[in-house]
Amino acid sequence: MRFDASETAVVVIDMQTGFCHPDGSLYAPASEEAIGPVGELIDRARSADVQVVYTRDVHPPEQFEDAYYYDEFDRWGEHVLEGSMEAEIVEDLEVRPEDHVVEKHTYDAFHRTDLGGWLEARGIRDLVICGTLANVCVLHTAGSAGLRDFRPVLVEDALGYIEEDHHEYAVEHADWLFGETTELEHVAFE
């Protein structure tokens, strides 16, 4: 699958200590295993001058105090709290000054962030998406991208997940409804 480097961004979803490190509150072994493939995709992107975007799921401790319905802490417990080590991108993935970092407070990286405008301002149309968790933040961000007329492409073997069937569901759902899927070996930037 070929991508025009000038119109593409690699979007790295939530590769943070809280999800990818054994001491993280929402650690999933498959998220840790995704670090290598995600790093390889980032290296390829940088070699082709493709923009790299990182998202960070970050929650102020009081975020859900007045929530009526949407309360991630009820579902997942407190996680990736603002200012904590859990909220940091894993050390194995270097965030460079030229990378764009989006701090988000929900599953969707477009919700109340600058991501959409930032991509549009740079003429980016195609989003090569990797990261974690496949059926949560990856899927919601990719779906939101498709609804905003970006082309979301999930890299199947660069996704973290809790259960294998979560991964399968996310890939099948994205491919069927709003995006495309591929494997790392088939991604080419030109």
Side-chain angles (χ1 to χ4, degrees), residues 2-4 7-10 124-128 150-152:
R2 299 192 173 283
F3 298 91
D4 180 334
E7 296 181 351
T8 303
V10 168
I124 294 172
R125 301 163 36 117
D126 295 339
L127 306 181
V128 179
F150 294 101
R151 176 187 175 210

Side-chain angles (χ1 to χ4, degrees), residues 13-19 54-64 70 72-73 78-89 101-109 111-113 137:
I13 307 290
D14 301 353
M15 293 298 289
Q16 297 163 254
T17 304
F19 305 115
Y54 287 91
T55 72
R56 289 179 56 234
D57 192 36
V58 178
H59 300 293
E62 69 283 353
Q63 179 177 350
F64 302 108
Y70 177 71
E72 286 186 33
F73 290 171
E78 284 191 354
H79 60 285
V80 291
L81 293 176
E82 189 173 57
S84 72
M85 283 303 297
E86 280 205 349
E88 298 305 317
I89 303 293
V101 179
V102 175
E103 191 170 289
K104 64 186 186 63
H105 303 294
T106 70
Y107 305 139
D108 175 3
H111 182 73
R112 296 185 180 174
T113 72
C137 295

